[in-house]
Amino acid sequence: MEQIPENLKHYLENIVKDTLKSTFNVETEVVFEETSKPEYGDYSSNFLFRLKKGLSEPIQTVGDIITLEVMKKLQHIADEVSTQTGFLNIKLSNKTLHNVLRRINNNPEEYGKVDTGHGEYINLEFVSANPTGPLNVVSARAASVGDSLKRIMNFAGYRVESEFYSNNAGRQVENLVASVKWWINKIKGIEEPFPLEGYRGEYLKDIAEKIIEKKIPEDKLAEFVTDTILNDQLETLREFDVEYDHVTKETFIRESKYPGLVLRILKEEKFLFFEDGATFFRATDFGDTEPRVIIRRDGTGTYFFYDLAYHLYKLQRGYDRLINILGPDHHGYIKRMEAGLTALGYPKKIKIMIVQQVSLLKNGEKIKMSKRRGEFYTLKELLREVGKDAARFFFLMRTKDAHLDFDIDLARKIGKENPVYYVQYMHARSHSLLKHGEENSLYPKDSNLRLLQLPEERLIMRKLMFFPDTVERAALRMEPHEIVRYLLQLADIFHNYYQKNRIVNKEKPELSGARLYLVLAVKNVVKRALSLIGVDAPVKM
RNA sequence: GCGCCCGUAGCUCAAUUGGAUAGAGCGACGGACUACGAAUCCGUAGGCUGGGGGUUCGAGUCCCUCCGGGCGCGCCA
């Protein structure tokens, strides 16, 4: 039944590449992409421009010959091959598009899977908030991007495991514990001045009450407080449909062999020096702007030191690559970490992505947030106000490099102005169309797909065909945002089609069967695409 | 001062990473349900892509420079 190649895009690329080699003895990369406009065909490549310099013949001659050769080889799947203003355009036959529909509906779970990753084993760390308070909205954005990326990359042939790192040690934890103690004393009626670097925030009062109730001993306070907050963070993330494969605590790292291992390797390689009683790492040997302290004058390790140990630990677990998603305040840290891992013998094993800031808008005004005063908008509050789906979708509407204005009022609105409903409505509408068909004894059928003659129908089939390419792009660029854009475009043409044409029509059972088959394919792809970004596909809204 | 991100329609943002005539939504104006969900659709108006220079077949995209906005630059984490 399957008459089309496993991966259309790569198939076309290989055909043209081979033809160039056999006809002109030229080797070059050929990339096909969706044409900017449907009038140009379906797939287009600009390799002729790139080739221009290395060719003796005029570009048009080469184009003409390639066009003929490629057409010959693609007769079974394409209608037209042409060169226009330097682009090689290919228009696939309707039969090919029909087979795409069959592929989708025969195996909805598999459609869109690609093997971009070739099984590369990846550790993806994101959020990793300090256990000093509830998760804020920047963490929410990182969670949305990170978790979607994991889903997408796993669908694209990678083996991705997600990880949360909790810095439950160090000075900030001392400050945190001091703040909790202040609350404990206050509850017991002992008034003292609030710790200088303490954490404000009512959530610490609840923890203090629990400590009194459970009679937690003094030496277990730090552990109890950080674990309580960590568990609360993970619980909130679960409500956000974010599950982690691994959770690692800094206390675990500190007690492990890895800090010692880091010191030993750096010492043996002579990447350390001593000054003012402190131990420095020669980060400048690896592109950083200055040497970095790893052991302070007082003999304690820096945050960077234990972070190096943590990353060494991750690498020794066998990953091919580490990916970290960090907030915008960490970009100064990238060079340092890359330098450190290179020195430890793992060059180019880490990719650090920065997710930009989030501003929350309410009533058209930015909400002011101050961590110090304990005033910030939490992920929990966001979930309560706009819901999981709108929150996740909104965080993916911009590329991760851009600042994001999150308009809470808009996210709560219902209608096209709120894109998440626009997309989910496409799924609900497909579902009710299929149901409506059943009530009239009309079912999706692939026997008369040639009746799908309308330009809008071709547009939809074409878009469905591009889904695997979209998954590949999103994975390679590490931009979940690509999936969101795809859904919005598909929704546009689908709603347009629906509005103009009747799908279920008892007078025309054959046409109805074909159209319902198309609708079923749309529903299947939308459901899958939404699952890749962790958004529900409702059948009723 | 140094480093990173951003500047595109009145507003919020896209633009297949250097490609074809720069596109959507909101807002404004005008239309479409006695047929499958109007949470939808169709149309009109709106642009010197912050300014200037460069690179080339081709620049919103790359380089230089200036202007404007955000963030970061601890033996904090």
Side-chain angles (χ1 to χ4, degrees):
Chain A
M1 184 69 254
E2 287 287 335
Q3 298 159 3
I4 51 172
E6 181 67 29
N7 187 310
L8 269 166
K9 178 178 185 281
H10 294 157
Y11 179 77
L12 297 177
E13 288 166 353
N14 287 330
I15 291 273
V16 173
K17 227 166 124 178
D18 292 349
T19 308
L20 278 167
K21 180 108 199 279
S22 59
T23 317
F24 294 98
N25 198 26
V26 173
E27 294 212 42
T28 182
E29 272 307 298
V30 175
V31 177
F32 274 99
E33 285 160 349
E34 177 178 354
T35 56
S36 56
K37 290 199 165 103
E39 303 94 88
Y40 299 132
D42 300 315
Y43 277 105
S44 123
S45 178
N46 61 359
F47 67 91
L48 282 167
F49 285 125
R50 300 189 190 291
L51 227 51
K52 227 178 113 178
K53 279 179 193 152
L55 285 178
S56 42
E57 284 99 327
I59 185 168
Q60 192 56 49
T61 317
V62 179
D64 289 346
I65 294 170
I66 291 288
T67 303
L68 281 174
E69 287 299 312
V70 171
M71 188 63 225
K72 256 189 256 170
K73 291 182 186 169
L74 293 181
Q75 269 174 4
H76 59 301
I77 55 169
D79 273 354
E80 286 170 30
V81 178
S82 61
T83 48
Q84 275 171 46
T85 61
F87 296 89
L88 181 76
N89 295 328
I90 295 176
K91 185 181 179 190
L92 297 165
S93 63
N94 288 339
K95 225 165 108 188
T96 302
L97 294 177
H98 300 158
N99 283 331
V100 169
L101 295 187
R102 291 191 178 98
R103 174 172 288 175
I104 296 166
N105 290 340
N106 286 343
N107 202 343
E109 293 302 310
E110 291 296 307
Y111 183 71
K113 263 192 193 171
V114 285
D115 188 28
T116 314
H118 306 296
E120 189 183 3
Y121 188 32
I122 287 177
N123 179 284
L124 177 63
E125 186 198 328
F126 54 92
V127 181
S128 293
N130 292 332
T132 52
L135 295 173
N136 60 27
V137 284
V138 182
S139 291
R141 186 179 188 186
S144 185
V145 171
D147 183 65
S148 302
L149 195 55
K150 177 187 163 186
R151 293 164 187 250
I152 292 163
M153 290 179 82
N154 277 331
F155 197 57
Y158 298 82
R159 276 164 60 216
V160 180
E161 291 175 1
S162 55
E163 180 140 345
F164 187 105
Y165 184 52
S166 192
N167 294 109
N168 65 340
R171 202 159 300 172
Q172 59 179 350
V173 173
E174 288 166 25
N175 293 330
L176 182 71
V177 171
S179 313
V180 173
K181 278 185 186 162
W182 181 87
W183 275 110
I184 294 173
N185 285 332
K186 191 184 163 107
I187 294 168
K188 290 178 175 169
I190 307 167
E191 291 285 348
E192 16 170 65
F194 195 77
L196 210 61
E197 304 271 325
Y199 290 85
R200 305 268 175 188
E202 289 284 311
Y203 58 93
L204 291 182
K205 185 184 174 190
D206 301 340
I207 294 177
E209 279 166 357
K210 263 188 223 160
I211 289 169
I212 295 169
E213 186 193 315
K214 296 193 176 179
K215 302 194 170 68
I216 307 291
E218 175 90 16
D219 62 328
K220 296 278 180 195
L221 275 189
E223 188 185 347
F224 181 83
V225 174
T226 53
D227 277 357
T228 304
I229 295 177
L230 171 61
N231 288 333
D232 177 69
Q233 290 172 338
L234 293 174
E235 180 57 40
T236 309
L237 285 165
R238 245 172 260 132
E239 283 172 39
F240 204 46
D241 276 0
V242 176
E243 291 273 359
Y244 281 93
D245 299 311
H246 304 280
V247 175
T248 304
K249 298 179 195 172
E250 187 176 343
T251 44
F252 166 80
I253 295 296
R254 285 185 181 228
E255 286 157 19
S256 74
K257 63 176 181 177
Y258 292 97
L261 197 52
V262 168
L263 271 184
R264 208 167 70 225
I265 297 173
L266 293 181
K267 206 169 184 175
E268 274 168 17
E269 302 293 333
K270 307 205 188 324
F271 295 142
L272 299 181
F273 69 91
F274 305 92
E275 204 176 290
D276 298 339
T279 306
F280 286 75
F281 162 56
R282 296 184 192 278
T284 44
D285 289 5
F286 304 92
D288 199 2
T289 50
E290 51 197 297
R292 303 292 176 181
V293 174
I294 58 170
I295 310 288
R296 299 183 191 101
R297 206 178 331 180
D298 65 7
T300 57
T302 60
Y303 169 81
F304 173 55
F305 173 60
Y306 290 112
D307 217 22
L308 270 182
Y310 167 55
H311 281 82
L312 183 63
Y313 161 68
K314 279 198 284 190
L315 282 163
Q316 295 210 343
R317 275 157 50 192
Y319 296 106
D320 298 318
R321 198 152 47 114
L322 307 180
I323 301 175
N324 285 10
I325 298 179
L326 301 178
D329 47 339
H330 285 80
H331 72 251
Y333 199 67
I334 297 177
K335 273 259 159 33
R336 197 179 311 185
M337 193 40 115
E338 285 171 350
L341 293 184
T342 304
L344 289 172
Y346 293 94
K348 307 215 156 131
K349 285 284 186 184
I350 188 164
K351 163 88 185 163
I352 297 176
M353 289 168 37
I354 297 291
V355 171
Q356 286 297 331
Q357 242 196 338
V358 179
S359 307
L360 285 171
L361 294 176
K362 207 171 180 180
N363 304 322
E365 281 182 23
K366 291 201 176 171
I367 299 177
K368 292 236 163 63
M369 279 176 281
S370 160
K371 208 169 189 173
R372 217 189 41 232
R373 281 177 299 165
E375 298 168 12
F376 41 75
Y377 205 84
T378 64
L379 173 53
K380 238 182 233 174
E381 290 171 291
L382 189 68
L383 277 169
R384 210 168 44 228
E385 278 217 59
V386 308
K388 184 223 14 157
D389 287 339
R392 289 191 65 131
F393 198 91
F394 267 63
F395 283 127
L396 298 180
M397 287 198 334
R398 313 275 168 263
T399 84
K400 60 185 182 308
D401 313 306
H403 295 208
L404 172 67
D405 283 335
F406 193 114
D407 187 335
I408 295 178
D409 302 317
L410 177 59
R412 299 181 66 166
K413 265 190 206 160
I414 288 173
K416 185 168 186 178
E417 51 197 313
N418 183 345
V420 69
Y421 285 100
Y422 188 62
V423 168
Q424 289 184 315
Y425 186 48
M426 161 167 60
H427 186 267
R429 179 169 262 175
S430 311
H431 180 84
S432 47
L433 278 170
L434 290 164
K435 216 170 121 196
H436 184 70
E438 280 171 31
E439 285 157 10
N440 290 281
S441 305
L442 293 168
Y443 303 94
K445 268 171 58 187
D446 74 337
S447 44
N448 291 297
L449 296 179
R450 64 188 159 72
L451 295 175
L452 300 175
Q453 300 258 334
L454 298 169
E456 301 98 282
E457 286 163 341
R458 197 178 190 287
L459 276 179
I460 296 174
M461 292 190 282
R462 201 179 93 100
K463 202 71 197 173
L464 295 176
M465 176 177 76
F466 291 129
F467 182 56
D469 305 348
T470 306
V471 171
E472 179 173 85
R473 255 181 82 80
L476 280 175
R477 292 181 55 179
M478 299 201 276
E479 274 284 13
H481 161 69
E482 295 283 339
I483 303 291
V484 169
R485 277 187 49 225
Y486 176 85
L487 280 167
L488 288 170
Q489 288 169 8
L490 184 61
D492 235 355
I493 50 183
F494 179 73
H495 288 310
N496 173 286
Y497 171 60
Y498 167 87
Q499 203 72 32
K500 288 189 194 160
N501 302 285
R502 185 149 182 87
I503 311 294
V504 177
N505 187 348
K506 274 193 277 192
E507 312 296 312
K508 298 177 181 168
E510 286 176 355
L511 180 64
S512 298
R515 286 183 169 175
L516 283 169
Y517 197 77
L518 177 64
V519 169
L520 178 62
V522 168
K523 187 188 161 193
N524 283 328
V525 170
V526 170
K527 189 176 175 190
R528 166 53 72 187
L530 283 172
S531 82
L532 291 181
I533 55 170
V535 175
D536 294 340
V539 294
K540 230 163 69 182
M541 296 174 69

